[in-house]
């Protein structure tokens, strides 16, 4: 409720460097990843896609917004946590 923990899902193209890109953005902004789950895309989505479900420790809601903005500005598609 205070914005100290947040979960988001990012849709990725299944190619090298995608996880690194997401991780670097979160780390640069001071977020702490506490859980990561990588899932292959489901039926009806891009065959080369996957989902990255991330749980983060954050400072507050403004910090969450900054992380989400940086991810989308870098071209990552947020599926949940928008």
């Amino acid at each position: 409720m205070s914005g100290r923990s947040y979960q988001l899902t990012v849709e990725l193209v299944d190619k090298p460097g995608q996880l690194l890109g997401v991780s670097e953005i979160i780390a640069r902004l001071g977020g702490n990843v506490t859980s990561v789950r990588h899932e292959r895309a489901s039926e009806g989505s891009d065959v080369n896609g996957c989902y990255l479900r991330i749980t983060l420790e954050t400072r507050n809601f403004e910090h969450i917004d900054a992380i989400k903005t940086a991810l989308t500005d870098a071209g990552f598609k947020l599926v949940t946590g928008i």
Side-chain angles (χ1 to χ4, degrees):
M1 294 184 74
S2 64
R4 299 278 301 156
S5 180
Y6 190 72
Q7 185 175 49
L8 59 89
T9 301
V10 182
E11 184 177 356
L12 300 177
V13 176
D14 195 11
K15 68 178 185 179
Q18 293 288 288
L19 177 58
L20 177 63
V22 171
S23 298
E24 285 178 336
I25 290 169
I26 293 169
R28 179 173 38 88
L29 293 173
N32 183 41
V33 175
T34 59
S35 175
V36 175
R37 182 175 174 168
H38 179 269
E39 301 174 354
R40 291 284 173 204
S42 60
E43 182 179 324
S45 46
D46 186 348
V47 70
N48 293 321
C50 60
Y51 294 103
L52 187 63
R53 298 185 194 281
I54 305 169
T55 303
L56 306 167
E57 287 180 342
T58 56
R59 292 187 295 270
N60 52 38
F61 292 111
E62 291 82 15
H63 191 208
I64 293 167
D65 288 341
I67 291 170
K68 292 185 335 184
T69 298
L71 288 169
T72 57
D73 286 351
F76 293 105
K77 180 180 177 184
L78 303 184
V79 179
T80 61
I82 296 175

